[in-house]
Amino acid sequence: MKHLINTKALTVVVLSALMLGVLFCYISLSYRGVALFKQNNINQQNGLAADDVIPVSHEFHLVAPDLLRYEQPSILRGRTDVVTVTPWLAPVVWEGTFNPVLLDSIYKRKNITVSATVFAVGKYIMFLKDFLETAEQHFFVGFKVHIYVFTDRPNEVPQVRMAAGRQLTVRSVPSSKRWQEISARRMELIQTLIEEQLPNHSDDYVFCLDVDSKFHGRWGAESLGGLVAVIHPGYYKDGRSRFPYERRPASRAYLAPEEGDFYYCGGAFGGLLQEVHHLAKTCRSNFEADAQEGIEAAWQEESHLNRYMWINKPTKVLSPEYLWQDFKPQNPEVHIIRFSGVVKNYAEIRPNA
Ligand code: UD2
């Protein structure tokens, strides 16, 4: 009888141990599955695999504070002198089309960081002080801002007092004998920068800006979007056949006379990190493939950016308020100049004329 009880007890113990073993294997395999799934997601976001996949973001979930009071919006009154929406229904941002207080309160809750890249190679370092000082006054005031300066003269980066929550990182880059190369290489460096940042910041934004420019007015949350393009101030009254797109079919930046929506500038563009990563990577690889075949697009990376935006429509378009040129008189439809290129003497500042 005692022997029988011992055998029964042993069987129960062995069976329990077996069940526990099976349970353990099941749990650890499922855990590994979740981990692999997460890693694949991170790889995709990194652009390491399936780089055409744009990960889902929460950009469009806009939560406003209940107690905020602001002027009643109207669908009957508003700007009538300019077009405020593209044919693919992306907003075109002009003064008078948005409420800055409302937008700030929506986006401040999201706790986002807005980065800006700016290149100051060779003599262009002379523009950096004004760029940084005016960015303090107008660019995403009250938000977390991270400015990345790429330069071959890190010792000459000016000390500019920055408000709490704003920071500056300086990255050394080699100089070059050709301005075309400096301008075009920006895409490669932006791509690399985002690859380093992306895993932890996929809901954040970046703007890539020319250094020979100053801020004069608010540039804030109204400019945020998945993929953001800025309309070039020099061509917005022209027909598309007159836009200075790359017109040689041999180039990957080619656009035919009947193609193209607007002429966008290379001096300002941005959006969510993963969108800008995809843009920079595509423009860089097309630029490099062209170079292998001995062709350089008419306006370097600006031509490739225009080709990219023809296929990948920007989700927000910024009016020329967001990149004017100091030498141009202000047009009546431009109620405010927010950012503008300074007048410069190309022969004096570029490494090659
Ligand atoms: C236009 C575009 C510019 C770029 C270029 C074509 C605008 C307002 N500007 O300007 O973005 O697409 O055409 O290549 O849309 N840089 C240096 N050191 C140099 C040369 C250039 O740091 O020696 C950097 C600097 O950040 C500068 C940018 O590259 O702002 C563009 O160069 P640019 O201003 O000389 O080009 P630009 O005026 O022809």
Side-chain angles (χ1 to χ4, degrees):
M1 184 64 184
K2 197 177 168 201
H3 176 72
L4 204 62
I5 290 171
N6 274 350
T7 313
K8 261 190 178 171
L10 193 67
T11 313
V12 169
V13 168
V14 169
L15 273 177
S16 309
L18 259 175
M19 276 173 70
L20 275 174
V22 168
L23 196 68
F24 174 76
C25 286
Y26 175 75
I27 289 173
S28 60
L29 275 176
S30 342
Y31 179 76
R32 202 166 156 257
V34 170
L36 274 176
F37 175 73
K38 277 188 181 159
Q39 187 56 46
N40 279 343
N41 262 354
I42 290 170
N43 280 350
Q44 274 187 3
Q45 289 181 0
N46 257 328
L48 297 176
D51 56 58
D52 278 333
V53 178
I54 303 294
V56 178
S57 87
H58 304 292
E59 194 209 337
F60 299 110
H61 192 173
L62 305 180
V63 179
D66 185 19
L67 293 175
L68 188 73
R69 300 288 174 258
Y70 55 91
E71 194 189 341
Q72 179 189 351
S74 167
I75 57 162
L76 300 174
R77 278 177 295 109
R79 290 287 299 254
T80 51
D81 57 335
V82 287
V83 173
T84 58
V85 67
T86 67
W88 59 95
L89 298 180
V92 184
V93 184
W94 294 91
E95 177 70 354
T97 60
F98 61 91
N99 183 326
V101 177
L102 172 60
L103 278 163
D104 280 354
S105 58
I106 290 172
Y107 280 93
K108 275 202 183 137
R109 296 164 74 105
K110 288 174 175 275
N111 198 26
I112 52 167
T113 297
V114 181
S115 297
T117 62
V118 65
F119 289 74
V121 180
K123 292 185 182 160
Y124 277 62
I125 193 85
M126 71 166 77
F127 301 115
L128 190 56
K129 187 165 188 287
D130 280 350
F131 175 94
L132 293 174
E133 280 178 355
T134 57
E136 272 301 290
Q137 293 158 21
H138 303 292
F139 185 71
F140 284 93
V141 175
F143 283 81
K144 284 194 280 176
V145 168
H146 195 153
I147 298 186
Y148 292 90
V149 173
F150 293 81
T151 182
D152 57 338
R153 302 181 181 191
N155 298 334
E156 292 176 40
V157 172
Q159 296 284 327
V160 171
R161 185 183 267 274
M162 297 180 91
R166 299 172 76 93
Q167 57 174 317
L168 184 130
T169 300
V170 178
R171 294 193 157 207
S172 286
V173 291
S175 50
S176 168
K177 289 198 171 66
R178 290 185 71 240
W179 66 266
Q180 295 90 336
E181 192 182 292
I182 296 170
S183 187
R185 213 177 43 211
R186 291 185 291 178
M187 288 295 184
E188 175 193 341
L189 294 159
I190 291 164
Q191 178 194 339
T192 318
L193 175 76
I194 299 176
E195 277 165 14
E196 289 166 21
Q197 302 295 311
L198 196 60
N200 306 322
H201 299 276
S202 54
D203 280 344
D204 285 342
Y205 298 86
V206 61
F207 285 95
C208 309
L209 305 170
D210 269 10
V211 73
D212 53 319
S213 333
K214 284 194 236 177
F215 293 87
H216 301 278
R218 173 195 162 97
W219 180 323
E222 74 283 356
S223 66
L224 296 175
L227 180 63
V228 183
V230 182
I231 296 197
H232 197 294
Y235 305 97
Y236 69 96
K237 296 188 177 179
D238 292 338
R240 52 160 61 127
S241 64
R242 292 171 60 97
F243 291 165
Y245 292 145
E246 172 53 55
R247 300 301 190 182
R248 292 166 295 175
S251 168
R252 285 156 185 83
Y254 171 71
L255 282 172
E258 63 281 8
E259 293 178 331
D261 299 304
F262 306 107
Y263 191 75
Y264 302 112
C265 57
F269 57 90
L272 282 170
L273 285 179
Q274 63 264 45
E275 289 275 0
V276 178
H277 177 258
H278 196 254
L279 177 155
K281 189 175 171 187
T282 308
C283 291
R284 174 206 178 174
S285 83
N286 287 340
F287 185 89
E288 286 176 359
D290 268 11
Q292 295 275 317
E293 292 167 12
I295 189 159
E296 184 176 270
W299 286 99
Q300 296 79 36
E301 84 303 343
E302 185 172 87
S303 305
H304 288 278
L305 175 122
N306 270 280
R307 167 81 208 173
Y308 185 88
M309 298 283 188
W310 165 240
I311 305 295
N312 303 271
K313 301 297 191 205
T315 59
K316 190 165 275 184
V317 173
L318 306 183
S319 70
E321 295 168 2
Y322 289 81
L323 188 43
W324 198 250
Q325 285 166 323
D326 283 358
F327 67 79
K328 282 172 74 71
Q330 188 167 343
N331 288 344
E333 64 277 9
V334 175
H335 294 182
I336 173 175
I337 293 173
R338 304 172 191 280
F339 187 60
S340 179
V342 302
V343 178
K344 59 186 195 262
N345 180 344
Y346 286 104
E348 243 174 45
I349 53 165
R350 281 178 168 170
N352 56 316

PDB file of all heavy atoms in Angstrom, residues 1-30:
ATOM      1  N   MET A   1       0.834  -1.205   0.000  1.00  0.00           N
ATOM      2  CA  MET A   1       0.000   0.000   0.000  1.00  0.00           C
ATOM      3  C   MET A   1       0.882   1.274   0.000  1.00  0.00           C
ATOM      4  O   MET A   1       0.679   2.174  -0.816  1.00  0.00           O
ATOM      5  CB  MET A   1      -0.887  -0.049   1.257  1.00  0.00           C
ATOM      6  CG  MET A   1      -1.892   1.081   1.350  1.00  0.00           C
ATOM      7  SD  MET A   1      -3.058   0.980  -0.001  1.00  0.00           S
ATOM      8  CE  MET A   1      -3.996   2.427   0.270  1.00  0.00           C
ATOM      9  N   LYS A   2       1.875   1.284   0.888  1.00  0.00           N
ATOM     10  CA  LYS A   2       2.797   2.436   0.984  1.00  0.00           C
ATOM     11  C   LYS A   2       3.549   2.638  -0.343  1.00  0.00           C
ATOM     12  O   LYS A   2       3.691   3.746  -0.852  1.00  0.00           O
ATOM     13  CB  LYS A   2       3.781   2.153   2.122  1.00  0.00           C
ATOM     14  CG  LYS A   2       4.490   3.407   2.574  1.00  0.00           C
ATOM     15  CD  LYS A   2       5.376   3.098   3.737  1.00  0.00           C
ATOM     16  CE  LYS A   2       6.292   4.274   3.971  1.00  0.00           C
ATOM     17  NZ  LYS A   2       7.445   3.901   4.718  1.00  0.00           N
ATOM     18  N   HIS A   3       3.921   1.503  -0.950  1.00  0.00           N
ATOM     19  CA  HIS A   3       4.647   1.533  -2.209  1.00  0.00           C
ATOM     20  C   HIS A   3       3.781   2.173  -3.319  1.00  0.00           C
ATOM     21  O   HIS A   3       4.233   3.005  -4.118  1.00  0.00           O
ATOM     22  CB  HIS A   3       5.020   0.084  -2.563  1.00  0.00           C
ATOM     23  CG  HIS A   3       5.683  -0.019  -3.888  1.00  0.00           C
ATOM     24  ND1 HIS A   3       6.973   0.425  -4.094  1.00  0.00           N
ATOM     25  CD2 HIS A   3       5.260  -0.498  -5.092  1.00  0.00           C
ATOM     26  CE1 HIS A   3       7.298   0.218  -5.351  1.00  0.00           C
ATOM     27  NE2 HIS A   3       6.251  -0.358  -5.983  1.00  0.00           N
ATOM     28  N   LEU A   4       2.432   1.808  -3.297  1.00  0.00           N
ATOM     29  CA  LEU A   4       1.486   2.330  -4.285  1.00  0.00           C
ATOM     30  C   LEU A   4       1.367   3.868  -4.173  1.00  0.00           C
ATOM     31  O   LEU A   4       1.389   4.600  -5.172  1.00  0.00           O
ATOM     32  CB  LEU A   4       0.115   1.690  -4.034  1.00  0.00           C
ATOM     33  CG  LEU A   4      -0.807   1.659  -5.264  1.00  0.00           C
ATOM     34  CD1 LEU A   4      -0.182   0.825  -6.371  1.00  0.00           C
ATOM     35  CD2 LEU A   4      -2.171   1.127  -4.876  1.00  0.00           C
ATOM     36  N   ILE A   5       1.265   4.335  -2.886  1.00  0.00           N
ATOM     37  CA  ILE A   5       1.151   5.798  -2.664  1.00  0.00           C
ATOM     38  C   ILE A   5       2.383   6.516  -3.202  1.00  0.00           C
ATOM     39  O   ILE A   5       2.295   7.535  -3.879  1.00  0.00           O
ATOM     40  CB  ILE A   5       0.949   6.101  -1.155  1.00  0.00           C
ATOM     41  CG1 ILE A   5      -0.429   5.630  -0.755  1.00  0.00           C
ATOM     42  CG2 ILE A   5       1.092   7.592  -0.861  1.00  0.00           C
ATOM     43  CD1 ILE A   5      -0.710   5.666   0.731  1.00  0.00           C
ATOM     44  N   ASN A   6       3.571   5.927  -2.911  1.00  0.00           N
ATOM     45  CA  ASN A   6       4.823   6.536  -3.388  1.00  0.00           C
ATOM     46  C   ASN A   6       4.851   6.645  -4.900  1.00  0.00           C
ATOM     47  O   ASN A   6       5.254   7.661  -5.464  1.00  0.00           O
ATOM     48  CB  ASN A   6       6.021   5.692  -2.933  1.00  0.00           C
ATOM     49  CG  ASN A   6       6.417   6.133  -1.532  1.00  0.00           C
ATOM     50  OD1 ASN A   6       5.912   7.149  -1.048  1.00  0.00           O
ATOM     51  ND2 ASN A   6       7.279   5.359  -0.889  1.00  0.00           N
ATOM     52  N   THR A   7       4.393   5.586  -5.599  1.00  0.00           N
ATOM     53  CA  THR A   7       4.392   5.590  -7.068  1.00  0.00           C
ATOM     54  C   THR A   7       3.455   6.682  -7.573  1.00  0.00           C
ATOM     55  O   THR A   7       3.767   7.430  -8.511  1.00  0.00           O
ATOM     56  CB  THR A   7       3.924   4.218  -7.605  1.00  0.00           C
ATOM     57  OG1 THR A   7       4.609   3.236  -6.894  1.00  0.00           O
ATOM     58  CG2 THR A   7       4.179   4.104  -9.094  1.00  0.00           C
ATOM     59  N   LYS A   8       2.239   6.779  -6.906  1.00  0.00           N
ATOM     60  CA  LYS A   8       1.270   7.803  -7.335  1.00  0.00           C
ATOM     61  C   LYS A   8       1.863   9.208  -7.182  1.00  0.00           C
ATOM     62  O   LYS A   8       1.778  10.038  -8.091  1.00  0.00           O
ATOM     63  CB  LYS A   8       0.002   7.703  -6.467  1.00  0.00           C
ATOM     64  CG  LYS A   8      -1.105   6.939  -7.156  1.00  0.00           C
ATOM     65  CD  LYS A   8      -2.376   7.108  -6.356  1.00  0.00           C
ATOM     66  CE  LYS A   8      -3.519   6.398  -7.025  1.00  0.00           C
ATOM     67  NZ  LYS A   8      -4.676   6.395  -6.134  1.00  0.00           N
ATOM     68  N   ALA A   9       2.473   9.401  -5.989  1.00  0.00           N
ATOM     69  CA  ALA A   9       3.054  10.733  -5.716  1.00  0.00           C
ATOM     70  C   ALA A   9       4.131  11.063  -6.749  1.00  0.00           C
ATOM     71  O   ALA A   9       4.188  12.181  -7.273  1.00  0.00           O
ATOM     72  CB  ALA A   9       3.640  10.740  -4.308  1.00  0.00           C
ATOM     73  N   LEU A  10       4.938  10.052  -7.063  1.00  0.00           N
ATOM     74  CA  LEU A  10       6.015  10.259  -8.030  1.00  0.00           C
ATOM     75  C   LEU A  10       5.448  10.648  -9.408  1.00  0.00           C
ATOM     76  O   LEU A  10       5.921  11.574 -10.075  1.00  0.00           O
ATOM     77  CB  LEU A  10       6.839   8.963  -8.137  1.00  0.00           C
ATOM     78  CG  LEU A  10       8.173   9.133  -8.864  1.00  0.00           C
ATOM     79  CD1 LEU A  10       9.090  10.018  -8.025  1.00  0.00           C
ATOM     80  CD2 LEU A  10       8.827   7.781  -9.089  1.00  0.00           C
ATOM     81  N   THR A  11       4.352   9.903  -9.791  1.00  0.00           N
ATOM     82  CA  THR A  11       3.731  10.204 -11.097  1.00  0.00           C
ATOM     83  C   THR A  11       3.243  11.652 -11.120  1.00  0.00           C
ATOM     84  O   THR A  11       3.445  12.374 -12.095  1.00  0.00           O
ATOM     85  CB  THR A  11       2.524   9.255 -11.332  1.00  0.00           C
ATOM     86  OG1 THR A  11       2.939   7.944 -11.013  1.00  0.00           O
ATOM     87  CG2 THR A  11       2.041   9.343 -12.772  1.00  0.00           C
ATOM     88  N   VAL A  12       2.572  12.101 -10.009  1.00  0.00           N
ATOM     89  CA  VAL A  12       2.055  13.482  -9.954  1.00  0.00           C
ATOM     90  C   VAL A  12       3.199  14.483 -10.095  1.00  0.00           C
ATOM     91  O   VAL A  12       3.122  15.443 -10.880  1.00  0.00           O
ATOM     92  CB  VAL A  12       1.276  13.718  -8.634  1.00  0.00           C
ATOM     93  CG1 VAL A  12       0.978  15.196  -8.443  1.00  0.00           C
ATOM     94  CG2 VAL A  12      -0.012  12.911  -8.644  1.00  0.00           C
ATOM     95  N   VAL A  13       4.291  14.202  -9.353  1.00  0.00           N
ATOM     96  CA  VAL A  13       5.441  15.126  -9.398  1.00  0.00           C
ATOM     97  C   VAL A  13       6.012  15.204 -10.816  1.00  0.00           C
ATOM     98  O   VAL A  13       6.243  16.280 -11.373  1.00  0.00           O
ATOM     99  CB  VAL A  13       6.532  14.689  -8.400  1.00  0.00           C
ATOM    100  CG1 VAL A  13       7.834  15.456  -8.633  1.00  0.00           C
ATOM    101  CG2 VAL A  13       6.033  14.895  -6.972  1.00  0.00           C
ATOM    102  N   VAL A  14       6.199  14.001 -11.443  1.00  0.00           N
ATOM    103  CA  VAL A  14       6.782  13.972 -12.794  1.00  0.00           C
ATOM    104  C   VAL A  14       5.872  14.702 -13.782  1.00  0.00           C
ATOM    105  O   VAL A  14       6.315  15.539 -14.586  1.00  0.00           O
ATOM    106  CB  VAL A  14       7.042  12.513 -13.244  1.00  0.00           C
ATOM    107  CG1 VAL A  14       7.388  12.446 -14.738  1.00  0.00           C
ATOM    108  CG2 VAL A  14       8.165  11.912 -12.418  1.00  0.00           C
ATOM    109  N   LEU A  15       4.542  14.427 -13.696  1.00  0.00           N
ATOM    110  CA  LEU A  15       3.605  15.079 -14.618  1.00  0.00           C
ATOM    111  C   LEU A  15       3.612  16.594 -14.445  1.00  0.00           C
ATOM    112  O   LEU A  15       3.632  17.348 -15.417  1.00  0.00           O
ATOM    113  CB  LEU A  15       2.179  14.541 -14.394  1.00  0.00           C
ATOM    114  CG  LEU A  15       1.853  13.272 -15.179  1.00  0.00           C
ATOM    115  CD1 LEU A  15       0.454  12.768 -14.852  1.00  0.00           C
ATOM    116  CD2 LEU A  15       1.988  13.517 -16.685  1.00  0.00           C
ATOM    117  N   SER A  16       3.613  17.042 -13.137  1.00  0.00           N
ATOM    118  CA  SER A  16       3.632  18.499 -12.873  1.00  0.00           C
ATOM    119  C   SER A  16       4.886  19.115 -13.463  1.00  0.00           C
ATOM    120  O   SER A  16       4.839  20.184 -14.083  1.00  0.00           O
ATOM    121  CB  SER A  16       3.599  18.795 -11.378  1.00  0.00           C
ATOM    122  OG  SER A  16       2.563  18.091 -10.787  1.00  0.00           O
ATOM    123  N   ALA A  17       6.032  18.415 -13.238  1.00  0.00           N
ATOM    124  CA  ALA A  17       7.301  18.950 -13.753  1.00  0.00           C
ATOM    125  C   ALA A  17       7.233  19.079 -15.266  1.00  0.00           C
ATOM    126  O   ALA A  17       7.665  20.082 -15.863  1.00  0.00           O
ATOM    127  CB  ALA A  17       8.446  18.036 -13.341  1.00  0.00           C
ATOM    128  N   LEU A  18       6.658  18.025 -15.927  1.00  0.00           N
ATOM    129  CA  LEU A  18       6.544  18.051 -17.388  1.00  0.00           C
ATOM    130  C   LEU A  18       5.700  19.235 -17.854  1.00  0.00           C
ATOM    131  O   LEU A  18       6.058  19.987 -18.762  1.00  0.00           O
ATOM    132  CB  LEU A  18       5.881  16.753 -17.866  1.00  0.00           C
ATOM    133  CG  LEU A  18       6.836  15.699 -18.414  1.00  0.00           C
ATOM    134  CD1 LEU A  18       6.095  14.418 -18.741  1.00  0.00           C
ATOM    135  CD2 LEU A  18       7.566  16.237 -19.642  1.00  0.00           C
ATOM    136  N   MET A  19       4.532  19.427 -17.142  1.00  0.00           N
ATOM    137  CA  MET A  19       3.630  20.521 -17.519  1.00  0.00           C
ATOM    138  C   MET A  19       4.311  21.881 -17.343  1.00  0.00           C
ATOM    139  O   MET A  19       4.190  22.764 -18.182  1.00  0.00           O
ATOM    140  CB  MET A  19       2.342  20.468 -16.689  1.00  0.00           C
ATOM    141  CG  MET A  19       1.345  19.493 -17.302  1.00  0.00           C
ATOM    142  SD  MET A  19      -0.069  19.265 -16.253  1.00  0.00           S
ATOM    143  CE  MET A  19      -0.854  20.841 -16.408  1.00  0.00           C
ATOM    144  N   LEU A  20       5.041  21.992 -16.219  1.00  0.00           N
ATOM    145  CA  LEU A  20       5.750  23.258 -15.972  1.00  0.00           C
ATOM    146  C   LEU A  20       6.764  23.516 -17.070  1.00  0.00           C
ATOM    147  O   LEU A  20       6.926  24.637 -17.557  1.00  0.00           O
ATOM    148  CB  LEU A  20       6.455  23.210 -14.617  1.00  0.00           C
ATOM    149  CG  LEU A  20       5.573  23.587 -13.427  1.00  0.00           C
ATOM    150  CD1 LEU A  20       6.322  23.363 -12.114  1.00  0.00           C
ATOM    151  CD2 LEU A  20       5.138  25.056 -13.531  1.00  0.00           C
ATOM    152  N   GLY A  21       7.456  22.409 -17.474  1.00  0.00           N
ATOM    153  CA  GLY A  21       8.471  22.528 -18.538  1.00  0.00           C
ATOM    154  C   GLY A  21       7.839  23.019 -19.827  1.00  0.00           C
ATOM    155  O   GLY A  21       8.339  23.933 -20.478  1.00  0.00           O
ATOM    156  N   VAL A  22       6.686  22.403 -20.204  1.00  0.00           N
ATOM    157  CA  VAL A  22       6.004  22.793 -21.452  1.00  0.00           C
ATOM    158  C   VAL A  22       5.589  24.264 -21.369  1.00  0.00           C
ATOM    159  O   VAL A  22       5.784  25.045 -22.306  1.00  0.00           O
ATOM    160  CB  VAL A  22       4.778  21.876 -21.690  1.00  0.00           C
ATOM    161  CG1 VAL A  22       3.897  22.439 -22.815  1.00  0.00           C
ATOM    162  CG2 VAL A  22       5.251  20.476 -22.027  1.00  0.00           C
ATOM    163  N   LEU A  23       5.030  24.651 -20.198  1.00  0.00           N
ATOM    164  CA  LEU A  23       4.575  26.029 -19.991  1.00  0.00           C
ATOM    165  C   LEU A  23       5.741  27.012 -20.151  1.00  0.00           C
ATOM    166  O   LEU A  23       5.626  28.044 -20.813  1.00  0.00           O
ATOM    167  CB  LEU A  23       3.964  26.155 -18.584  1.00  0.00           C
ATOM    168  CG  LEU A  23       3.106  27.392 -18.362  1.00  0.00           C
ATOM    169  CD1 LEU A  23       1.839  27.299 -19.211  1.00  0.00           C
ATOM    170  CD2 LEU A  23       2.709  27.492 -16.884  1.00  0.00           C
ATOM    171  N   PHE A  24       6.880  26.641 -19.569  1.00  0.00           N
ATOM    172  CA  PHE A  24       8.068  27.514 -19.622  1.00  0.00           C
ATOM    173  C   PHE A  24       8.511  27.728 -21.078  1.00  0.00           C
ATOM    174  O   PHE A  24       8.752  28.844 -21.518  1.00  0.00           O
ATOM    175  CB  PHE A  24       9.193  26.873 -18.789  1.00  0.00           C
ATOM    176  CG  PHE A  24      10.482  27.638 -18.924  1.00  0.00           C
ATOM    177  CD1 PHE A  24      10.682  28.847 -18.262  1.00  0.00           C
ATOM    178  CD2 PHE A  24      11.501  27.149 -19.741  1.00  0.00           C
ATOM    179  CE1 PHE A  24      11.856  29.549 -18.406  1.00  0.00           C
ATOM    180  CE2 PHE A  24      12.680  27.845 -19.882  1.00  0.00           C
ATOM    181  CZ  PHE A  24      12.862  29.047 -19.217  1.00  0.00           C
ATOM    182  N   CYS A  25       8.563  26.559 -21.830  1.00  0.00           N
ATOM    183  CA  CYS A  25       8.992  26.667 -23.241  1.00  0.00           C
ATOM    184  C   CYS A  25       8.034  27.567 -24.007  1.00  0.00           C
ATOM    185  O   CYS A  25       8.442  28.430 -24.794  1.00  0.00           O
ATOM    186  CB  CYS A  25       9.000  25.295 -23.915  1.00  0.00           C
ATOM    187  SG  CYS A  25      10.366  24.313 -23.360  1.00  0.00           S
ATOM    188  N   TYR A  26       6.723  27.409 -23.782  1.00  0.00           N
ATOM    189  CA  TYR A  26       5.713  28.186 -24.507  1.00  0.00           C
ATOM    190  C   TYR A  26       5.883  29.687 -24.241  1.00  0.00           C
ATOM    191  O   TYR A  26       5.937  30.498 -25.153  1.00  0.00           O
ATOM    192  CB  TYR A  26       4.319  27.713 -24.088  1.00  0.00           C
ATOM    193  CG  TYR A  26       3.212  28.528 -24.697  1.00  0.00           C
ATOM    194  CD1 TYR A  26       2.870  28.382 -26.035  1.00  0.00           C
ATOM    195  CD2 TYR A  26       2.509  29.467 -23.933  1.00  0.00           C
ATOM    196  CE1 TYR A  26       1.863  29.150 -26.615  1.00  0.00           C
ATOM    197  CE2 TYR A  26       1.513  30.227 -24.502  1.00  0.00           C
ATOM    198  CZ  TYR A  26       1.187  30.070 -25.841  1.00  0.00           C
ATOM    199  OH  TYR A  26       0.207  30.821 -26.399  1.00  0.00           O
ATOM    200  N   ILE A  27       6.033  30.010 -22.921  1.00  0.00           N
ATOM    201  CA  ILE A  27       6.141  31.433 -22.560  1.00  0.00           C
ATOM    202  C   ILE A  27       7.398  32.043 -23.156  1.00  0.00           C
ATOM    203  O   ILE A  27       7.370  33.110 -23.757  1.00  0.00           O
ATOM    204  CB  ILE A  27       6.114  31.618 -21.027  1.00  0.00           C
ATOM    205  CG1 ILE A  27       4.706  31.324 -20.518  1.00  0.00           C
ATOM    206  CG2 ILE A  27       6.529  33.025 -20.616  1.00  0.00           C
ATOM    207  CD1 ILE A  27       4.578  31.307 -19.010  1.00  0.00           C
ATOM    208  N   SER A  28       8.533  31.304 -23.052  1.00  0.00           N
ATOM    209  CA  SER A  28       9.771  31.932 -23.525  1.00  0.00           C
ATOM    210  C   SER A  28       9.763  32.072 -25.047  1.00  0.00           C
ATOM    211  O   SER A  28      10.276  33.041 -25.577  1.00  0.00           O
ATOM    212  CB  SER A  28      11.009  31.179 -23.042  1.00  0.00           C
ATOM    213  OG  SER A  28      10.956  29.883 -23.515  1.00  0.00           O
ATOM    214  N   LEU A  29       9.113  31.088 -25.756  1.00  0.00           N
ATOM    215  CA  LEU A  29       9.056  31.228 -27.216  1.00  0.00           C
ATOM    216  C   LEU A  29       8.204  32.418 -27.618  1.00  0.00           C
ATOM    217  O   LEU A  29       8.560  33.188 -28.506  1.00  0.00           O
ATOM    218  CB  LEU A  29       8.487  29.948 -27.846  1.00  0.00           C
ATOM    219  CG  LEU A  29       9.522  28.855 -28.107  1.00  0.00           C
ATOM    220  CD1 LEU A  29       8.847  27.605 -28.646  1.00  0.00           C
ATOM    221  CD2 LEU A  29      10.605  29.344 -29.074  1.00  0.00           C
ATOM    222  N   SER A  30       7.024  32.567 -26.912  1.00  0.00           N
ATOM    223  CA  SER A  30       6.178  33.716 -27.283  1.00  0.00           C
ATOM    224  C   SER A  30       6.889  35.013 -26.975  1.00  0.00           C
ATOM    225  O   SER A  30       6.809  35.967 -27.730  1.00  0.00           O
ATOM    226  CB  SER A  30       4.844  33.748 -26.540  1.00  0.00           C
ATOM    227  OG  SER A  30       4.528  32.559 -26.001  1.00  0.00           O
TER     228      SER A  30
END
